[in-house]
Amino acid sequence: MEDLRSFIGSLMSEITLALSGGAARGAYHLGVLHFIEEKGLHVRAISGTSIGAIIGASWLCGVSAKEQLEIFKSKEFRAIFSFNYFRKSIFKIDMDAKIIERLVPKKNIQDLEIPLYITAIDLTSGANLCFESGDIKRLCIASSALIPIFPPVQYNDYQLADGGFMDHIPMEPLKAYDVMRVGVNLHPIYKKESGNNIFSHISRSLYLSMYRESFEAKNSCDVYITSKKLLDYSIFSFSNFDALFALGYQDAKEKFSLKL
């Protein structure tokens, strides 16, 4: 019986992880990853879009959750963003900045020991693409190119933009792994009474359209981690990283306690 319990425990200690987009709310992802580090859970694969792709890639490059948190809080990281004078976008990102190299120190996805899947959309064809090889840094930036805030990224024959528009929590690549699937959503799905006017109906319709994939992804998760408290934090604010980190850690602790 003890051997059976040990075998079951070893299976439950293996997970795959899908990390959603959500810009500055990404510190919540880091709190979840810090809990995973503490528990010694073995991550078999990570699938991410937008900030989820960046954080997942960095972690698989060997940069711990707390190390990433300090990078995101640094002045050097904030300096990579500059006003683009509305040339294709409002802001641009310095992809050659040294702080980016610290965040993503490896070159190619195939150099990683654990599989990584990065999603993005091709603006030319409209296709939702999933990359499991290629330039990590460039694909992470492409997956985070929220139009019109940031410009699209030319990559091979593709013109890539934020993958969260079409696949907010990219669970599909993880279905090939017969282990616990964990999804982390920085844009919580919530019920809301729709106002009785045209503007509130339009607003709610856009919300449901953009995150319709989130409903399906949630049903594909063995552990689904999110919090309505995330709605209290702007996706563009750099001032709440510590609070978001703590929230993600606590929510991960509570959700995993039901499974582990």
Side-chain angles (χ1 to χ4, degrees), residues 71 77 125 171 184 214:
I71 289 173
F77 182 77
S125 67
M171 296 297 301
V184 188
S214 297

Side-chain angles (χ1 to χ4, degrees), residues 17-37 47-56 59 65 68 72 168-170 183-187 225-226 230 241 244-249 252:
L17 192 59
L19 302 176
S20 82
R25 290 179 186 166
Y28 184 90
H29 284 327
L30 296 177
V32 173
L33 284 171
H34 185 58
F35 177 82
I36 288 171
E37 292 169 357
S47 175
T49 193
S50 197
I51 190 62
I54 294 173
I55 287 173
W59 197 72
Q68 287 189 57
F72 287 126
H168 185 60
I169 312 173
V184 188
N185 186 6
L186 302 182
H187 290 282
I225 304 173
T226 191
L230 283 164
F241 288 149
L244 284 161
F245 183 95
L247 181 62
Y249 179 88

Side-chain angles (χ1 to χ4, degrees), residues 80-98:
I80 70 173
F81 304 101
S82 60
F83 188 54
N84 203 28
Y85 299 97
F86 298 96
R87 300 191 193 103
K88 295 184 179 180
S89 65
I90 300 172
F91 296 98
K92 62 181 177 180
I93 299 175
D94 180 5
M95 288 193 285
D96 297 320
K98 290 184 179 180

Side-chain angles (χ1 to χ4, degrees), residues 11 25 43 63 88 105 150 176 190 201 223 242 247-248:
L11 287 179
R25 290 179 186 166
V43 177
V63 185
K88 295 184 179 180
F150 299 113
Y190 63 99
H201 291 324
V223 177
D242 288 327
L247 181 62

